[in-house]
Structure formats: C-alpha cells, structure tokens
Amino acid sequence: MRHHQQSEWLAVADYQLHLRQLTPVQPDSAYPVLMLHGAIENSRIFYNEKGRGLGCFLADHGFYVSCADFAGRGLSQPKAGRGFSHSQQQLICQDIPSLISHLYQQYQQPVVVVAHSWAGVVLAASLARFPQLLPEVKAIVTFGSKRVISVRGFKKRLHIDLVWNRLAPLLCRLYGYLPAKQWRLGADNEPAQYLLDTIGWIRGETFTDPTDGFDYAAACADVSWPASWHFAAIDDQLLGHPVDVQAFLTETGLNLGRYTLLGKTQGYLQDYDHISMLTHPDASRDHFTELEAWLKQL
C-alpha cells in the first residue's frame, strides 16, 4: 500500500459518524475525496486493510480519501439497534452536510463526493435541499445509483416487493431495526426508520421528503450541478439497472454529466454488476484508472 489508514469520528447530533481516513504517502491531488455507501452496507465497500477497493486505489494514487459509515452502520456509534433511531431525512439534512463541510474545512478545498447505490440519491437530495453546500463540492461520482426500481421480473418480486417492501418492515417491528446481517440480506444492519423511508421512493412515489414533504424534484431543477460522472454496470439487473440509473440522472438533472456503462461490449475487462463494479480485482486496471485520470484533470 502507498497510503496509511486511521479512523476518526465526527460528532453529529447524539451519534458519531466513523470516517476511515486513507492518507497517501505521496499526495498528488488538491481535492479530498468523500465516499458514501449504499443501503445495507458500510464504507468497506470502498476499502479494506489489505489495500483493496476504490478508496485504497485513489489513496495510492495521491488522493486524501475519507470513507464514511452512515449512522448506525460500520464503526459509527451507536450501532443500529432498538434504542437508536435514525431517519433518511437526518442523513440528508444533518449527516451529509456535516461530512462535506467537515472535509472542506479540514482541507480548505472543495470535495469530490463518490456515492454507491442509494447514497447517490440521498446525496442529490441533500445538495438540492442545501444549495449553499455546492461551492464545497468539486465533483460528484456515482456507481449504480437509482431512485426508483422500475424493472420487472422474478428478482424484483422476490428481493424488492417481498423482502424489502414487506419482510424488512416486519423485521423492523420485531427487532427495532433491520437485522440485515443476521438474515443475510446485506453487509450491514439498518435503522428501522431509514429503511421505512426508502420504500416509497423505490416504489416510484414522488421525489418528496416522506417526513416534511420537501420537493426534491423541484429543488433539483434549480441546481447547477458540479462536474459529474455516473457509472452503471451491464450485469446489474436489479439494484442499479442501467435504465433506472439513467432515469434517476434525468430526474435530477445530473444527466448533463458523464455516463459510462461497464461491460465487455463497451470495452471493459468484465461484465460488472452492482457490487463487482467496486470490488472486482480488474476494476483497478479498468474504470478506476479512467476515473483517477479524470479527477486529476478537474
């Protein structure tokens, strides 16, 4: 590895968000990178102690990288549990603004924000709701981010209609949180309210806040977005289907940014899926290299 790793915690409200700081041995970029994970996962989608993942790759190539665990996930405190409540609105209105401003103040440079899956949705919502944050954001990069899952078929009926929309809320009522790890639904557990807040958007309800009705779709129409690059995977057939990714980009206005489909037909080494686009060993010789070059030209 050509970077060092250490942890820090950022106090927000009555909880602490964990940040895994990946510090390059030889810095080669002015812009810090903030990485935000999706639902039922944590920041380890971007790094591990052996130096794998997009976060480690960028740190090895000179970027200061901060991989954040959302409230209740990863090493953030407290853990998701019956006694800890955290909503999607809190993430949009408190956590993401706090993370961006923390790094902006720390490095005195605007931040590149990298988001996987659902994190791209809450990131867009946060920036649309708080446009005063936009000068603190240099660029946006998303991987498999969609708001609505419109694709049909057996996997949609099983994993979304049955498990996410029906079983998961039942588990939340039983346990007080979503025990995704115990039930092998994902890499990390979720606070109950956060899970419940996602369901309407996934079903295709309007892009408004389920808590106070704030109209994110209207707010997005007024945003002048920073430079952005959005990746979809050819073999992502459900959680970030290319059709749904493009629909999300159109809805928010982020479709003015760059869009790339990751597959062999498009000239890449693998037909990537929702997870392998960030974890496959070939990614570091593929789109990671392209992204590094693009970021250094900003």
Side-chain angles (χ1 to χ4, degrees):
M1 293 193 304
R2 299 192 299 276
H3 70 273
H4 304 293
Q5 297 189 14
Q6 63 182 18
S7 290
E8 72 168 85
W9 283 263
L10 176 66
V12 179
D14 59 347
Y15 48 89
Q16 293 185 322
L17 303 179
H18 170 251
L19 286 165
R20 189 66 170 176
Q21 302 284 16
L22 312 180
T23 304
V25 173
Q26 295 183 325
D28 189 27
S29 174
Y31 305 112
V33 178
L34 171 63
M35 296 193 159
L36 306 176
H37 63 81
I40 53 175
E41 64 183 27
N42 55 50
S43 65
R44 285 185 172 273
I45 190 73
F46 298 116
Y47 80 94
N48 68 18
E49 286 77 4
K50 295 182 179 179
R52 301 191 185 105
L54 177 59
C56 294
F57 176 88
L58 291 179
D60 283 343
H61 288 82
F63 292 84
Y64 288 92
V65 179
S66 299
C67 303
D69 286 325
F70 289 151
R73 294 78 147 183
L75 296 178
S76 292
Q77 295 294 330
K79 298 274 189 186
R82 187 176 296 278
F84 178 66
S85 177
H86 188 264
S87 69
Q88 183 174 257
Q89 189 192 58
Q90 286 176 280
L91 178 61
I92 292 169
C93 295
Q94 294 181 175
D95 300 1
I96 291 176
S98 295
L99 288 165
I100 291 172
S101 293
H102 173 69
L103 293 183
Y104 179 76
Q105 292 168 13
Q106 179 178 353
Y107 292 100
Q108 294 296 299
Q109 291 287 350
V111 181
V112 174
V113 187
V114 177
H116 180 227
S117 194
W118 198 252
V121 179
V122 291
L123 171 64
S126 185
L127 294 176
R129 186 159 185 158
F130 302 102
Q132 63 269 28
L133 285 172
L134 289 165
E136 300 180 3
V137 177
K138 182 64 177 179
I140 295 169
V141 182
T142 67
F143 288 87
S145 292
K146 51 62 191 71
R147 184 178 77 83
V148 179
I149 296 181
S150 67
V151 294
R152 299 181 180 181
F154 175 75
K155 287 185 177 181
K156 164 69 158 43
R157 292 193 297 272
L158 174 62
H159 295 288
I160 304 302
D161 298 339
L162 178 60
V163 175
W164 192 259
N165 294 347
R166 295 188 179 183
L167 175 61
L170 290 175
L171 293 174
C172 286
R173 285 196 287 271
L174 179 63
Y175 290 88
Y177 67 103
L178 177 62
K181 290 176 67 176
Q182 178 180 336
W183 282 71
R184 298 184 180 180
L185 301 178
D188 211 332
N189 302 326
E190 290 281 9
Q193 190 58 54
Y194 186 88
L195 172 279
L196 296 173
D197 289 342
T198 68
I199 292 175
W201 286 1
I202 291 172
R203 285 175 172 166
E205 294 177 9
T206 58
F207 196 16
T208 55
D209 196 287
T211 302
D212 65 4
F214 183 89
D215 192 334
Y216 294 110
C220 283
D222 295 329
V223 174
S224 295
W225 295 108
S228 64
W229 193 350
H230 310 279
F231 294 90
I234 192 71
D235 206 25
D236 190 344
Q237 296 302 306
L238 180 63
L239 298 178
H241 193 287
V243 169
D244 290 338
V245 168
Q246 290 180 310
F248 165 67
L249 298 178
T250 299
E251 177 181 46
T252 56
L254 284 165
N255 59 334
L256 297 178
R258 188 171 178 176
Y259 171 80
T260 295
L261 184 61
L262 298 172
K264 292 180 180 178
T265 302
Q266 290 71 32
Y268 292 93
L269 296 172
Q270 299 292 331
D271 285 332
Y272 294 97
D273 63 24
H274 196 64
I275 300 299
S276 68
M277 65 193 333
L278 288 174
T279 61
H280 197 286
D282 283 342
S284 61
R285 299 186 293 125
D286 233 350
H287 49 291
F288 286 7
T289 300
E290 294 178 338
L291 178 59
E292 175 213 349
W294 182 77
L295 291 175
K296 287 182 175 177
Q297 292 172 358
L298 292 174

